Amino acid sequence: SAVISQKPSRDICQRGTSLTIQCQVDSQVTMMFWYRQQPGQSLTLIATANQGSEATYESGFVIDKFPISRPNLTFSTLTVSNMSPEDSSIYLCSVEDRKTSYEQYFGPGTRLTVT
Amino acid sequence: RKEVEQDPGPFNVPEGATVAFNCTYSNSASQSFFWYRQDCRKEPKLLMSVYSSGNEDGRFTAQLNRASQYISLLIRDSKLSDSATYLCVVNGQGGSEKLVFGKGTKLTVNP
């Protein structure tokens, strides 16, 4: 499976600021996704990062709050804008292995704390 | 009804025990089913896909019952290293790539 890295691995940020998280894959992939995992909860899909076009957001998530870039088939960024303590969470990117029917593989995650 | 529901847990079992996790899903159009495991403070890792005929991988057996919209995972001869949270995962509306995750069941295997 693809090797996925994320930067930063963790950060502590002040409310009102923004943080951009990077996701790098070691091979070209068609589908990349961004998830959030709040403390004690399971994963919630934020959006699908589409290469060359706007991301597809899930209900409850908007582009102004979570802008996403996908400039090529190996890289994507997620920005958490105008942060509040409620944004404290783990943010994970994932890629889909098209050869094996929707199996997704996850990056190590970015642990964000907003104070 | 939640899209994916799992046993609330937690499960505490001795080494060597057999433990079973159950999961139900609401979207009858779902085509792909998975079990992931997540260790504390780590990302989820794919444990196994679940196929219609059921499948086995060593000590792990997964079953799918489409009629009941039910998935199970059986762990035999549990090891200390099996301690983790097990996530039931189903693909979403209309057979899309979107995955829907259950809340997970925490398993602790005790010596």
Side-chain angles (χ1 to χ4, degrees):
Chain A
S1 60
V3 176
I4 307 163
S5 60
Q6 282 186 236
K7 288 197 294 188
S9 58
R10 58 176 62 233
D11 208 341
I12 301 173
C13 302
Q14 291 190 337
R15 69 173 68 211
T17 63
S18 298
L19 175 72
T20 295
I21 302 167
Q22 298 179 5
C23 179
Q24 180 75 55
V25 191
D26 70 343
S27 58
Q28 292 187 340
V29 293
T30 305
M31 306 297 292
M32 290 182 77
F33 305 89
W34 286 99
Y35 288 82
R36 180 174 74 181
Q37 187 171 28
Q38 294 180 303
Q41 301 296 313
S42 192
L43 282 76
T44 300
L45 181 63
I46 297 172
T48 303
N50 301 308
Q51 195 266 328
S53 64
E54 203 168 274
T56 305
Y57 289 85
E58 296 299 308
S59 175
F61 297 97
V62 295
I63 188 170
D64 289 347
K65 176 67 176 175
F66 297 102
I68 287 171
S69 78
R70 178 91 193 270
N72 56 53
L73 293 176
T74 64
F75 185 78
S76 179
T77 67
L78 169 75
T79 299
V80 186
S81 303
N82 188 25
M83 289 184 283
S84 66
E86 292 71 35
D87 295 320
S88 297
S89 188
I90 300 171
Y91 292 85
L92 300 116
C93 68
S94 75
V95 304
E96 180 187 284
D97 183 345
R98 273 296 176 87
K99 298 187 292 296
T100 52
S101 186
Y102 303 139
E103 288 179 2
Q104 288 185 22
Y105 298 89
F106 287 84
T110 296
R111 186 176 295 272
L112 171 62
T113 303
V114 184
T115 60
Chain B
R1 181 180 176 188
K2 291 183 182 173
E3 287 192 77
V4 179
E5 290 201 72
Q6 295 185 239
D7 284 341
F11 284 35
N12 286 280
V13 303
E15 264 187 296
T18 296
V19 60
F21 301 134
N22 302 314
C23 171
T24 57
Y25 61 96
S26 62
N27 181 11
S28 59
S30 293
Q31 299 291 325
S32 300
F33 310 91
F34 311 96
W35 285 100
Y36 280 74
R37 72 170 275 167
Q38 186 172 26
D39 293 281
C40 188
R41 303 176 81 84
K42 297 285 191 181
E43 74 274 21
K45 293 192 174 170
L46 179 66
L47 178 65
M48 58 197 303
S49 299
V50 186
Y51 303 119
S52 296
S53 54
N55 48 300
E56 189 173 303
D57 182 2
R59 297 181 292 108
F60 299 85
T61 301
Q63 297 279 352
L64 169 65
N65 184 323
R66 285 188 186 270
S68 303
Q69 294 179 208
Y70 170 91
I71 307 162
S72 65
L73 176 69
L74 185 77
I75 305 176
R76 290 182 300 279
D77 187 23
S78 53
K79 312 290 185 192
L80 297 178
S81 57
D82 293 333
S83 298
T85 295
Y86 290 83
L87 304 169
C88 176
V89 184
V90 175
N91 78 300
Q93 291 281 347
S96 72
E97 294 93 347
K98 171 186 169 181
L99 294 184
V100 181
F101 285 73
K103 283 195 165 183
T105 303
K106 185 173 180 180
L107 171 67
T108 301
V109 181
N110 301 302

